[in-house]
Amino acid sequence: MPNASNPQRLLSYATSIAKCPTETVAYGSCVSSQAERIKQGDCSAEFKKLIDCVTKNLKKKLKRANRLLTFFKYNYKFVPPYRVLVDGTFCQAALTEKLNLAEQIPKYLTEETHLMTTKCVLDELEKIGPLLYGALVIAKQFEVAECPHKTPIAAADCLSHLARRAASGKTKYLIATQHDELTEKLRTIVGTPIMYIKFKTILLDNISEATKSGASKDEEEIKRLKQLKKEIMGPSDPLQKKKKKKKGGVNPLACKKKIMKASVETVRTGERTATGKRKRTKKKAPVESD
Ligand SMILES: [Zn+2]
């Protein structure tokens, strides 16, 4: 059973359990049917099914995140520690869903992570005031990433600017937002991973079409360069030469004669008894005639 003294942990269990409705109902029905007579070990089969379902869902979620990150790692040179830029909408969602970002994001990305924001984001939250005070408190815990805006601009514009700069620069960012317009804009910027919160869960957005086509363009470029190299270097390019198969003698082991095993046949004689066993027959010594 989850440790009730840790509300955050309990909440994460609750989220996972919500994804297993059939198993939850089966376990709940079993427990309620036993009512006050319930004792240790009762409904253990139903409980095991529920736990298996929860574990399976958690593994599936981490596997998906790993697959998406691997794509960005190989195609857009993302390397840990990952820099995650959060905006006010994401902090507000984390507050509403009671998610501890500093704990949950590194766990989800399974790598060291730097949570960051910008002064434009902080400025916007301060301007909005009491309505987003909680989100401001969360955002203020994070490192402030440098942005070129001496006079703060709208948070969404600031983050899309940094995403565009990251696409061609060395400093890479994952952008964490719940802002629909910003998300749409980020999907058009090649090589930008987007994070969001849904059903009390932190998730990576699917790879956008722009990002996919950007990656395939790179592959096409590599193919084109290889072809060009082949044309310039010609067939004499030592790298293009195939290894010649060494000529050698015949494998002596292959010529070894097969040793034929003599088959031993046993001939049994004697009549069968009533139980099917054979009678032992004694060889009679030849009678010498006088
Ligand atoms: Zn800015």
Side-chain angles (χ1 to χ4, degrees):
M1 284 289 286
N3 182 4
S5 64
N6 186 340
Q8 189 64 46
R9 201 169 171 193
L10 197 64
L11 203 67
S12 72
Y13 275 103
T15 313
S16 307
I17 286 169
K19 287 176 187 163
C20 302
T22 315
E23 290 78 2
T24 309
V25 169
Y27 179 62
S29 308
C30 178
V31 171
S32 59
S33 69
Q34 306 275 351
E36 289 168 1
R37 291 175 285 112
I38 196 158
K39 55 186 186 297
Q40 197 175 8
D42 286 348
C43 304
S44 57
E46 287 80 1
F47 185 66
K48 191 183 175 301
K49 276 184 189 168
L50 177 60
I51 292 298
D52 286 349
C53 175
V54 169
T55 314
K56 197 178 157 190
N57 278 332
L58 287 173
K59 278 185 186 169
K60 216 161 128 183
K61 183 185 150 193
L62 291 178
K63 209 173 164 183
R64 179 181 173 273
N66 190 38
R67 180 172 54 80
L68 294 174
L69 282 174
T70 305
F71 175 87
F72 284 102
K73 208 183 266 184
Y74 285 103
N75 293 292
Y76 294 102
K77 296 171 185 168
F78 273 77
V79 284
Y82 298 123
R83 292 180 184 84
V84 180
L85 266 181
V86 300
D87 74 351
T89 61
F90 193 79
C91 292
Q92 181 60 28
L95 186 71
T96 312
E97 305 289 5
K98 297 183 176 62
L99 288 171
N100 181 342
L101 296 180
E103 193 183 280
Q104 296 296 313
I105 292 182
K107 206 182 264 184
Y108 177 58
L109 300 178
T110 61
E111 289 287 357
E112 194 188 334
T113 305
H114 292 313
L115 295 184
M116 304 174 116
T117 190
T118 68
K119 62 177 188 295
C120 295
V121 169
L122 296 174
D123 180 76
E124 192 175 85
L125 287 171
E126 274 168 6
K127 276 181 186 161
I128 293 170
L131 196 64
L132 292 178
Y133 179 72
L136 176 65
V137 171
I138 294 174
K140 272 187 172 175
Q141 296 170 9
F142 307 139
E143 205 177 315
V144 178
E146 268 186 44
C147 73
H149 313 117
K150 283 180 184 167
T151 308
I153 60 167
D157 293 338
C158 176
L159 293 194
S160 59
H161 174 88
L162 289 185
R164 234 174 278 123
R165 203 171 68 176
S168 54
K170 279 183 184 173
T171 309
K172 304 288 181 186
Y173 293 113
L174 289 95
I175 314 282
T177 183
Q178 301 291 104
H179 194 297
D180 290 341
E181 275 177 40
L182 174 60
T183 302
E184 281 307 315
K185 203 182 268 184
L186 292 173
R187 282 178 184 151
T188 65
I189 302 170
V190 175
T192 308
I194 308 161
M195 293 181 84
Y196 62 97
I197 294 170
K198 193 178 179 185
F199 303 130
K200 297 183 185 295
T201 310
I202 296 164
L203 291 167
L204 271 167
D205 195 25
N206 285 330
I207 296 163
S208 70
E209 288 305 317
T211 295
K212 266 186 213 168
S213 59
S216 61
K217 261 183 197 168
D218 283 350
E219 279 172 17
E220 279 169 22
E221 186 67 10
I222 290 167
K223 271 185 196 171
R224 202 182 63 79
L225 285 171
K226 275 185 181 172
Q227 183 61 31
L228 198 67
K229 190 180 172 186
K230 207 175 175 181
E231 282 169 20
I232 294 168
M233 304 295 280
S236 60
D237 181 5
L239 290 173
Q240 299 293 329
K241 276 185 182 175
K242 281 185 181 176
K243 271 189 178 179
K244 280 185 181 175
K245 202 177 177 183
K246 279 185 183 177
K247 279 185 181 177
V250 187
N251 182 1
L253 287 173
C255 302
K256 205 175 176 182
K257 278 185 182 176
K258 282 181 184 174
I259 300 164
M260 297 295 286
K261 282 183 183 175
S263 60
V264 181
E265 285 182 11
T266 51
V267 180
R268 287 178 178 175
T269 55
E271 293 168 6
R272 286 181 184 275
T273 61
T275 56
K277 288 181 180 174
R278 289 178 194 275
K279 275 183 185 176
R280 284 191 178 180
T281 50
K282 285 181 183 175
K283 278 185 182 176
K284 286 179 183 176
V287 182
E288 285 178 15
S289 56
D290 291 335

